[in-house]
């Protein structure tokens, strides 16, 4: 049904759980996986007249974010390899994460975007915003939302 699935990660434990579920889903479909990490664009300090010497250069920042992207996607790539799935990772830079996810999915001809959701509703969703909701509203591609359920405390 799906030949190429885009999985997103931000390096958090929550997104790692979602990515694991995404790999399991891709294995059922025998689909190719593209793992995407979206890093924020470099920001010049606008609050000072002279850039402090300790502030990273744009090249240093980009190198650090590319390294972070590689680290954040490594476990997903390894999981795909264990399932015998073709997989590629990618780091992209953008101010608006959701729009970049949609753009990459379309450019890379993905059939499906697999994302997580914290399952917030009401004020939590309104105040915090949601990359997943923004992706849903900006793409015509199918989006599978893996809802993360908080596990009950064990006593």
């Amino acid at each position: 049904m799906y030949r190429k699935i885009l999985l997103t990660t931000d390096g958090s434990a929550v997104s790692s759980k979602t990515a694991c579920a995404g790999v399991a889903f891709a294995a059922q479909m025998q689909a190719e996986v593209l793992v995407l990490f979206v890093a924020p664009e470099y920001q010049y300090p606008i609050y000072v007249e002279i850039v402090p010497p300790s502030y990273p250069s744009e090249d240093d920042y980009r190198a650090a974010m590319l390294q972070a992207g590689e680290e954040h996607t490594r476990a997903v790539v390894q999981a795909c390899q264990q399932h015998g799935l073709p997989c590629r990772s990618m780091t992209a830079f953008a101010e608006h994460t959701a729009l970049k996810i949609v753009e990459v999915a379309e450019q890379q001809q993905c059939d499906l975007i697999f994302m997580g959701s914290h399952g917030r509703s009401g004020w939590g969703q309104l105040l915090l915003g949601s990359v997943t909701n923004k992706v849903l509203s900006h793409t015509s591609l199918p989006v599978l939302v893996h809802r993360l359920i908080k596990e009950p405390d064990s006593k």
Side-chain angles (χ1 to χ4, degrees), residues 28-69:
Q28 291 175 356
M29 301 287 127
Q30 285 299 300
E32 178 183 350
V33 174
L34 173 62
V35 189
L36 175 66
F37 170 71
V38 180
E41 291 281 1
Y42 180 78
Q43 298 290 318
Y44 290 98
I46 57 172
Y47 53 88
V48 294
E49 291 180 25
I50 299 172
V51 177
S54 62
Y55 201 80
S57 70
E58 186 169 359
D59 290 339
D60 291 342
Y61 172 80
R62 288 185 72 79
M65 288 297 101
L66 289 170
Q67 179 65 34

mmCIF file of all heavy atoms in Angstrom, residues 28-69:
data_model
loop_
_atom_site.group_PDB
_atom_site.id
_atom_site.type_symbol
_atom_site.label_atom_id
_atom_site.label_comp_id
_atom_site.label_asym_id
_atom_site.label_seq_id
_atom_site.Cartn_x
_atom_site.Cartn_y
_atom_site.Cartn_z
ATOM 1 N N GLN A 28 5.698 -3.853 8.204
ATOM 2 C CA GLN A 28 4.476 -4.535 7.760
ATOM 3 C C GLN A 28 4.193 -4.243 6.289
ATOM 4 O O GLN A 28 3.677 -5.091 5.568
ATOM 5 C CB GLN A 28 3.286 -4.096 8.605
ATOM 6 C CG GLN A 28 3.323 -4.562 10.027
ATOM 7 C CD GLN A 28 2.167 -3.998 10.844
ATOM 8 O OE1 GLN A 28 1.369 -3.199 10.370
ATOM 9 N NE2 GLN A 28 2.088 -4.430 12.092
ATOM 10 N N MET A 29 4.518 -3.031 5.856
ATOM 11 C CA MET A 29 4.265 -2.616 4.476
ATOM 12 C C MET A 29 5.427 -2.957 3.542
ATOM 13 O O MET A 29 5.307 -2.807 2.337
ATOM 14 C CB MET A 29 4.047 -1.094 4.402
ATOM 15 C CG MET A 29 2.909 -0.560 5.217
ATOM 16 S SD MET A 29 1.341 -0.990 4.456
ATOM 17 C CE MET A 29 0.538 -1.763 5.837
ATOM 18 N N GLN A 30 6.567 -3.357 4.135
ATOM 19 C CA GLN A 30 7.810 -3.547 3.388
ATOM 20 C C GLN A 30 8.148 -2.267 2.596
ATOM 21 O O GLN A 30 8.514 -2.306 1.421
ATOM 22 C CB GLN A 30 7.723 -4.766 2.461
ATOM 23 C CG GLN A 30 7.822 -6.082 3.204
ATOM 24 C CD GLN A 30 9.145 -6.233 3.937
ATOM 25 O OE1 GLN A 30 10.201 -6.216 3.336
ATOM 26 N NE2 GLN A 30 9.081 -6.352 5.263
ATOM 27 N N ALA A 31 8.010 -1.137 3.288
ATOM 28 C CA ALA A 31 8.196 0.172 2.665
ATOM 29 C C ALA A 31 9.584 0.728 2.949
ATOM 30 O O ALA A 31 10.201 0.429 3.966
ATOM 31 C CB ALA A 31 7.146 1.149 3.190
ATOM 32 N N GLU A 32 10.037 1.558 2.044
ATOM 33 C CA GLU A 32 11.268 2.321 2.238
ATOM 34 C C GLU A 32 10.984 3.410 3.278
ATOM 35 O O GLU A 32 9.869 3.929 3.361
ATOM 36 C CB GLU A 32 11.667 2.968 0.904
ATOM 37 C CG GLU A 32 12.899 3.827 0.962
ATOM 38 C CD GLU A 32 13.207 4.486 -0.367
ATOM 39 O OE1 GLU A 32 12.576 4.128 -1.392
ATOM 40 O OE2 GLU A 32 14.076 5.370 -0.376
ATOM 41 N N VAL A 33 12.001 3.762 4.068
ATOM 42 C CA VAL A 33 11.835 4.759 5.121
ATOM 43 C C VAL A 33 12.790 5.925 4.893
ATOM 44 O O VAL A 33 13.966 5.728 4.602
ATOM 45 C CB VAL A 33 12.075 4.139 6.515
ATOM 46 C CG1 VAL A 33 12.054 5.204 7.600
ATOM 47 C CG2 VAL A 33 11.054 3.048 6.805
ATOM 48 N N LEU A 34 12.251 7.121 5.052
ATOM 49 C CA LEU A 34 13.061 8.334 5.074
ATOM 50 C C LEU A 34 12.881 8.940 6.459
ATOM 51 O O LEU A 34 11.755 9.252 6.859
ATOM 52 C CB LEU A 34 12.621 9.327 3.998
ATOM 53 C CG LEU A 34 13.302 10.701 4.035
ATOM 54 C CD1 LEU A 34 14.810 10.582 3.827
ATOM 55 C CD2 LEU A 34 12.692 11.625 2.990
ATOM 56 N N VAL A 35 13.967 9.067 7.217
ATOM 57 C CA VAL A 35 13.915 9.630 8.560
ATOM 58 C C VAL A 35 14.379 11.080 8.477
ATOM 59 O O VAL A 35 15.459 11.361 7.972
ATOM 60 C CB VAL A 35 14.821 8.874 9.548
ATOM 61 C CG1 VAL A 35 14.569 9.344 10.968
ATOM 62 C CG2 VAL A 35 14.628 7.390 9.431
ATOM 63 N N LEU A 36 13.564 11.987 9.002
ATOM 64 C CA LEU A 36 13.848 13.413 8.888
ATOM 65 C C LEU A 36 13.989 14.075 10.250
ATOM 66 O O LEU A 36 13.140 13.907 11.122
ATOM 67 C CB LEU A 36 12.715 14.107 8.113
ATOM 68 C CG LEU A 36 12.797 15.626 8.000
ATOM 69 C CD1 LEU A 36 14.011 16.047 7.157
ATOM 70 C CD2 LEU A 36 11.513 16.171 7.376
ATOM 71 N N PHE A 37 15.076 14.833 10.397
ATOM 72 C CA PHE A 37 15.273 15.710 11.551
ATOM 73 C C PHE A 37 15.277 17.135 11.016
ATOM 74 O O PHE A 37 16.048 17.449 10.108
ATOM 75 C CB PHE A 37 16.604 15.394 12.252
ATOM 76 C CG PHE A 37 16.989 16.410 13.298
ATOM 77 C CD1 PHE A 37 16.294 16.495 14.501
ATOM 78 C CD2 PHE A 37 18.042 17.278 13.088
ATOM 79 C CE1 PHE A 37 16.656 17.431 15.464
ATOM 80 C CE2 PHE A 37 18.411 18.210 14.046
ATOM 81 C CZ PHE A 37 17.719 18.293 15.232
ATOM 82 N N VAL A 38 14.418 17.992 11.557
ATOM 83 C CA VAL A 38 14.367 19.390 11.131
ATOM 84 C C VAL A 38 14.997 20.246 12.220
ATOM 85 O O VAL A 38 14.507 20.286 13.346
ATOM 86 C CB VAL A 38 12.925 19.862 10.838
ATOM 87 C CG1 VAL A 38 12.922 21.316 10.406
ATOM 88 C CG2 VAL A 38 12.274 18.978 9.781
ATOM 89 N N ALA A 39 16.077 20.909 11.855
ATOM 90 C CA ALA A 39 16.790 21.787 12.789
ATOM 91 C C ALA A 39 16.351 23.228 12.556
ATOM 92 O O ALA A 39 16.052 23.620 11.422
ATOM 93 C CB ALA A 39 18.291 21.665 12.564
ATOM 94 N N PRO A 40 16.340 24.018 13.612
ATOM 95 C CA PRO A 40 16.006 25.437 13.430
ATOM 96 C C PRO A 40 17.078 26.142 12.604
ATOM 97 O O PRO A 40 18.247 25.764 12.649
ATOM 98 C CB PRO A 40 15.987 25.995 14.853
ATOM 99 C CG PRO A 40 16.175 24.857 15.777
ATOM 100 C CD PRO A 40 16.593 23.658 14.996
ATOM 101 N N GLU A 41 16.673 27.146 11.869
ATOM 102 C CA GLU A 41 17.626 27.966 11.118
ATOM 103 C C GLU A 41 18.555 28.682 12.084
ATOM 104 O O GLU A 41 18.189 28.964 13.225
ATOM 105 C CB GLU A 41 16.887 29.013 10.274
ATOM 106 C CG GLU A 41 16.106 28.442 9.122
ATOM 107 C CD GLU A 41 16.962 28.078 7.913
ATOM 108 O OE1 GLU A 41 18.207 28.247 7.960
ATOM 109 O OE2 GLU A 41 16.388 27.616 6.931
ATOM 110 N N TYR A 42 19.731 29.015 11.629
ATOM 111 C CA TYR A 42 20.698 29.782 12.424
ATOM 112 C C TYR A 42 20.131 31.161 12.707
ATOM 113 O O TYR A 42 19.551 31.797 11.832
ATOM 114 C CB TYR A 42 22.006 29.904 11.640
ATOM 115 C CG TYR A 42 23.095 30.674 12.347
ATOM 116 C CD1 TYR A 42 23.837 30.082 13.359
ATOM 117 C CD2 TYR A 42 23.387 31.986 11.991
ATOM 118 C CE1 TYR A 42 24.847 30.767 14.001
ATOM 119 C CE2 TYR A 42 24.396 32.693 12.631
ATOM 120 C CZ TYR A 42 25.118 32.073 13.637
ATOM 121 O OH TYR A 42 26.115 32.771 14.275
ATOM 122 N N GLN A 43 20.288 31.613 13.937
ATOM 123 C CA GLN A 43 19.794 32.933 14.329
ATOM 124 C C GLN A 43 20.960 33.802 14.776
ATOM 125 O O GLN A 43 21.703 33.425 15.680
ATOM 126 C CB GLN A 43 18.795 32.816 15.490
ATOM 127 C CG GLN A 43 17.556 32.035 15.166
ATOM 128 C CD GLN A 43 16.651 32.763 14.191
ATOM 129 O OE1 GLN A 43 16.458 33.958 14.299
ATOM 130 N NE2 GLN A 43 16.122 32.029 13.235
ATOM 131 N N TYR A 44 21.106 34.941 14.146
ATOM 132 C CA TYR A 44 22.102 35.901 14.606
ATOM 133 C C TYR A 44 21.578 36.570 15.859
ATOM 134 O O TYR A 44 20.390 36.846 15.967
ATOM 135 C CB TYR A 44 22.358 36.971 13.533
ATOM 136 C CG TYR A 44 23.083 36.440 12.335
ATOM 137 C CD1 TYR A 44 22.395 36.066 11.187
ATOM 138 C CD2 TYR A 44 24.463 36.303 12.348
ATOM 139 C CE1 TYR A 44 23.048 35.562 10.076
ATOM 140 C CE2 TYR A 44 25.137 35.801 11.245
ATOM 141 C CZ TYR A 44 24.420 35.434 10.111
ATOM 142 O OH TYR A 44 25.085 34.938 9.030
ATOM 143 N N PRO A 45 22.465 36.859 16.814
ATOM 144 C CA PRO A 45 21.988 37.538 18.021
ATOM 145 C C PRO A 45 21.591 38.972 17.686
ATOM 146 O O PRO A 45 22.409 39.758 17.219
ATOM 147 C CB PRO A 45 23.198 37.488 18.961
ATOM 148 C CG PRO A 45 24.377 37.307 18.069
ATOM 149 C CD PRO A 45 23.885 36.583 16.847
ATOM 150 N N ILE A 46 20.341 39.295 17.885
ATOM 151 C CA ILE A 46 19.851 40.624 17.517
ATOM 152 C C ILE A 46 19.855 41.582 18.695
ATOM 153 O O ILE A 46 19.584 42.752 18.538
ATOM 154 C CB ILE A 46 18.430 40.538 16.929
ATOM 155 C CG1 ILE A 46 17.483 39.876 17.914
ATOM 156 C CG2 ILE A 46 18.439 39.809 15.607
ATOM 157 C CD1 ILE A 46 16.037 39.921 17.509
ATOM 158 N N TYR A 47 20.183 41.080 19.851
ATOM 159 C CA TYR A 47 20.139 41.892 21.053
ATOM 160 C C TYR A 47 21.473 42.569 21.384
ATOM 161 O O TYR A 47 21.581 43.283 22.357
ATOM 162 C CB TYR A 47 19.684 41.050 22.246
ATOM 163 C CG TYR A 47 20.499 39.787 22.414
ATOM 164 C CD1 TYR A 47 21.666 39.788 23.161
ATOM 165 C CD2 TYR A 47 20.101 38.603 21.803
ATOM 166 C CE1 TYR A 47 22.424 38.638 23.292
ATOM 167 C CE2 TYR A 47 20.843 37.454 21.937
ATOM 168 C CZ TYR A 47 22.016 37.471 22.684
ATOM 169 O OH TYR A 47 22.753 36.341 22.807
ATOM 170 N N VAL A 48 22.504 42.333 20.583
ATOM 171 C CA VAL A 48 23.807 42.939 20.835
ATOM 172 C C VAL A 48 24.336 43.585 19.562
ATOM 173 O O VAL A 48 23.955 43.213 18.458
ATOM 174 C CB VAL A 48 24.838 41.899 21.349
ATOM 175 C CG1 VAL A 48 24.449 41.366 22.700
ATOM 176 C CG2 VAL A 48 25.020 40.771 20.364
ATOM 177 N N GLU A 49 25.215 44.561 19.726
ATOM 178 C CA GLU A 49 25.789 45.239 18.562
ATOM 179 C C GLU A 49 26.944 44.454 17.961
ATOM 180 O O GLU A 49 27.184 44.510 16.760
ATOM 181 C CB GLU A 49 26.255 46.646 18.955
ATOM 182 C CG GLU A 49 25.091 47.567 19.270
ATOM 183 C CD GLU A 49 25.557 48.962 19.651
ATOM 184 O OE1 GLU A 49 26.663 49.356 19.243
ATOM 185 O OE2 GLU A 49 24.797 49.640 20.349
ATOM 186 N N ILE A 50 27.673 43.728 18.804
ATOM 187 C CA ILE A 50 28.811 42.944 18.344
ATOM 188 C C ILE A 50 28.561 41.490 18.731
ATOM 189 O O ILE A 50 28.179 41.194 19.866
ATOM 190 C CB ILE A 50 30.123 43.444 18.991
ATOM 191 C CG1 ILE A 50 30.367 44.897 18.608
ATOM 192 C CG2 ILE A 50 31.291 42.563 18.591
ATOM 193 C CD1 ILE A 50 31.524 45.533 19.329
ATOM 194 N N VAL A 51 28.798 40.588 17.802
ATOM 195 C CA VAL A 51 28.593 39.166 18.077
ATOM 196 C C VAL A 51 29.662 38.707 19.066
ATOM 197 O O VAL A 51 30.857 38.893 18.820
ATOM 198 C CB VAL A 51 28.671 38.336 16.774
ATOM 199 C CG1 VAL A 51 28.533 36.856 17.081
ATOM 200 C CG2 VAL A 51 27.617 38.790 15.789
ATOM 201 N N PRO A 52 29.248 38.126 20.209
ATOM 202 C CA PRO A 52 30.229 37.653 21.193
ATOM 203 C C PRO A 52 31.124 36.567 20.596
ATOM 204 O O PRO A 52 30.670 35.768 19.757
ATOM 205 C CB PRO A 52 29.374 37.069 22.318
ATOM 206 C CG PRO A 52 27.974 37.440 22.023
ATOM 207 C CD PRO A 52 27.886 37.871 20.609
ATOM 208 N N PRO A 53 32.394 36.521 21.001
ATOM 209 C CA PRO A 53 33.309 35.515 20.445
ATOM 210 C C PRO A 53 32.874 34.083 20.738
ATOM 211 O O PRO A 53 33.208 33.175 19.992
ATOM 212 C CB PRO A 53 34.648 35.821 21.113
ATOM 213 C CG PRO A 53 34.419 36.904 22.085
ATOM 214 C CD PRO A 53 33.028 37.403 21.954
ATOM 215 N N SER A 54 32.116 33.877 21.815
ATOM 216 C CA SER A 54 31.678 32.527 22.155
ATOM 217 C C SER A 54 30.471 32.072 21.333
ATOM 218 O O SER A 54 30.093 30.912 21.364
ATOM 219 C CB SER A 54 31.332 32.445 23.644
ATOM 220 O OG SER A 54 30.265 33.328 23.932
ATOM 221 N N TYR A 55 29.857 32.996 20.600
ATOM 222 C CA TYR A 55 28.679 32.660 19.791
ATOM 223 C C TYR A 55 29.136 31.877 18.567
ATOM 224 O O TYR A 55 30.067 32.281 17.873
ATOM 225 C CB TYR A 55 27.956 33.944 19.369
ATOM 226 C CG TYR A 55 26.511 33.724 18.989
ATOM 227 C CD1 TYR A 55 25.537 33.601 19.969
ATOM 228 C CD2 TYR A 55 26.125 33.633 17.655
ATOM 229 C CE1 TYR A 55 24.201 33.405 19.631
ATOM 230 C CE2 TYR A 55 24.802 33.431 17.311
ATOM 231 C CZ TYR A 55 23.845 33.317 18.306
ATOM 232 O OH TYR A 55 22.535 33.112 17.962
ATOM 233 N N PRO A 56 28.494 30.741 18.273
ATOM 234 C CA PRO A 56 28.968 29.922 17.144
ATOM 235 C C PRO A 56 28.744 30.629 15.802
ATOM 236 O O PRO A 56 27.770 31.351 15.622
ATOM 237 C CB PRO A 56 28.119 28.653 17.234
ATOM 238 C CG PRO A 56 26.893 29.067 17.983
ATOM 239 C CD PRO A 56 27.318 30.166 18.911
ATOM 240 N N SER A 57 29.661 30.371 14.890
ATOM 241 C CA SER A 57 29.479 30.893 13.531
ATOM 242 C C SER A 57 28.368 30.089 12.865
ATOM 243 O O SER A 57 27.978 29.017 13.344
ATOM 244 C CB SER A 57 30.773 30.757 12.738
ATOM 245 O OG SER A 57 31.031 29.387 12.466
ATOM 246 N N GLU A 58 27.892 30.589 11.757
ATOM 247 C CA GLU A 58 26.836 29.862 11.037
ATOM 248 C C GLU A 58 27.328 28.491 10.583
ATOM 249 O O GLU A 58 26.609 27.494 10.666
ATOM 250 C CB GLU A 58 26.345 30.687 9.841
ATOM 251 C CG GLU A 58 25.152 30.056 9.159
ATOM 252 C CD GLU A 58 24.476 30.962 8.151
ATOM 253 O OE1 GLU A 58 24.915 32.126 7.965
ATOM 254 O OE2 GLU A 58 23.492 30.505 7.548
ATOM 255 N N ASP A 59 28.580 28.420 10.120
ATOM 256 C CA ASP A 59 29.137 27.131 9.695
ATOM 257 C C ASP A 59 29.249 26.153 10.861
ATOM 258 O O ASP A 59 28.944 24.971 10.718
ATOM 259 C CB ASP A 59 30.509 27.332 9.042
ATOM 260 C CG ASP A 59 30.415 28.019 7.686
ATOM 261 O OD1 ASP A 59 29.326 27.996 7.064
ATOM 262 O OD2 ASP A 59 31.436 28.584 7.241
ATOM 263 N N ASP A 60 29.704 26.664 12.029
ATOM 264 C CA ASP A 60 29.805 25.808 13.214
ATOM 265 C C ASP A 60 28.428 25.306 13.644
ATOM 266 O O ASP A 60 28.251 24.143 14.006
ATOM 267 C CB ASP A 60 30.453 26.556 14.380
ATOM 268 C CG ASP A 60 31.927 26.839 14.151
ATOM 269 O OD1 ASP A 60 32.537 26.181 13.282
ATOM 270 O OD2 ASP A 60 32.461 27.733 14.842
ATOM 271 N N TYR A 61 27.439 26.202 13.598
ATOM 272 C CA TYR A 61 26.074 25.836 13.975
ATOM 273 C C TYR A 61 25.537 24.751 13.032
ATOM 274 O O TYR A 61 24.994 23.739 13.485
ATOM 275 C CB TYR A 61 25.155 27.061 13.940
ATOM 276 C CG TYR A 61 23.702 26.700 14.140
ATOM 277 C CD1 TYR A 61 23.198 26.453 15.410
ATOM 278 C CD2 TYR A 61 22.841 26.584 13.045
ATOM 279 C CE1 TYR A 61 21.870 26.110 15.597
ATOM 280 C CE2 TYR A 61 21.510 26.231 13.229
ATOM 281 C CZ TYR A 61 21.038 25.992 14.505
ATOM 282 O OH TYR A 61 19.729 25.631 14.672
ATOM 283 N N ARG A 62 25.703 24.949 11.736
ATOM 284 C CA ARG A 62 25.199 23.975 10.759
ATOM 285 C C ARG A 62 25.870 22.617 10.955
ATOM 286 O O ARG A 62 25.210 21.580 10.900
ATOM 287 C CB ARG A 62 25.381 24.483 9.336
ATOM 288 C CG ARG A 62 24.428 25.622 8.992
ATOM 289 C CD ARG A 62 24.545 26.035 7.532
ATOM 290 N NE ARG A 62 23.978 25.047 6.622
ATOM 291 C CZ ARG A 62 22.678 24.889 6.368
ATOM 292 N NH1 ARG A 62 21.799 25.661 6.961
ATOM 293 N NH2 ARG A 62 22.272 23.970 5.523
ATOM 294 N N ALA A 63 27.169 22.629 11.202
ATOM 295 C CA ALA A 63 27.897 21.376 11.424
ATOM 296 C C ALA A 63 27.371 20.667 12.677
ATOM 297 O O ALA A 63 27.174 19.442 12.675
ATOM 298 C CB ALA A 63 29.394 21.639 11.540
ATOM 299 N N ALA A 64 27.133 21.444 13.745
ATOM 300 C CA ALA A 64 26.609 20.859 14.984
ATOM 301 C C ALA A 64 25.212 20.285 14.771
ATOM 302 O O ALA A 64 24.890 19.207 15.291
ATOM 303 C CB ALA A 64 26.593 21.915 16.093
ATOM 304 N N MET A 65 24.371 20.973 14.023
ATOM 305 C CA MET A 65 23.004 20.488 13.782
ATOM 306 C C MET A 65 23.005 19.262 12.869
ATOM 307 O O MET A 65 22.198 18.343 13.050
ATOM 308 C CB MET A 65 22.132 21.590 13.183
ATOM 309 C CG MET A 65 21.751 22.685 14.170
ATOM 310 S SD MET A 65 20.733 22.084 15.553
ATOM 311 C CE MET A 65 21.952 21.962 16.846
ATOM 312 N N LEU A 66 23.905 19.223 11.894
ATOM 313 C CA LEU A 66 24.008 18.037 11.044
ATOM 314 C C LEU A 66 24.450 16.832 11.871
ATOM 315 O O LEU A 66 23.945 15.722 11.684
ATOM 316 C CB LEU A 66 24.968 18.291 9.880
ATOM 317 C CG LEU A 66 24.457 19.252 8.809
ATOM 318 C CD1 LEU A 66 25.569 19.624 7.837
ATOM 319 C CD2 LEU A 66 23.264 18.652 8.060
ATOM 320 N N GLN A 67 25.381 17.070 12.796
ATOM 321 C CA GLN A 67 25.827 15.998 13.697
ATOM 322 C C GLN A 67 24.674 15.549 14.601
ATOM 323 O O GLN A 67 24.450 14.363 14.800
ATOM 324 C CB GLN A 67 27.015 16.476 14.540
ATOM 325 C CG GLN A 67 27.520 15.442 15.526
ATOM 326 C CD GLN A 67 28.113 14.220 14.855
ATOM 327 O OE1 GLN A 67 28.716 14.330 13.793
ATOM 328 N NE2 GLN A 67 27.924 13.064 15.443
ATOM 329 N N ALA A 68 23.925 16.514 15.142
ATOM 330 C CA ALA A 68 22.775 16.179 15.992
ATOM 331 C C ALA A 68 21.748 15.384 15.199
ATOM 332 O O ALA A 68 21.188 14.397 15.701
ATOM 333 C CB ALA A 68 22.140 17.453 16.551
ATOM 334 N N GLY A 69 21.485 15.785 13.963
ATOM 335 C CA GLY A 69 20.545 15.064 13.119
ATOM 336 C C GLY A 69 20.972 13.627 12.889
ATOM 337 O O GLY A 69 20.157 12.697 12.945
#
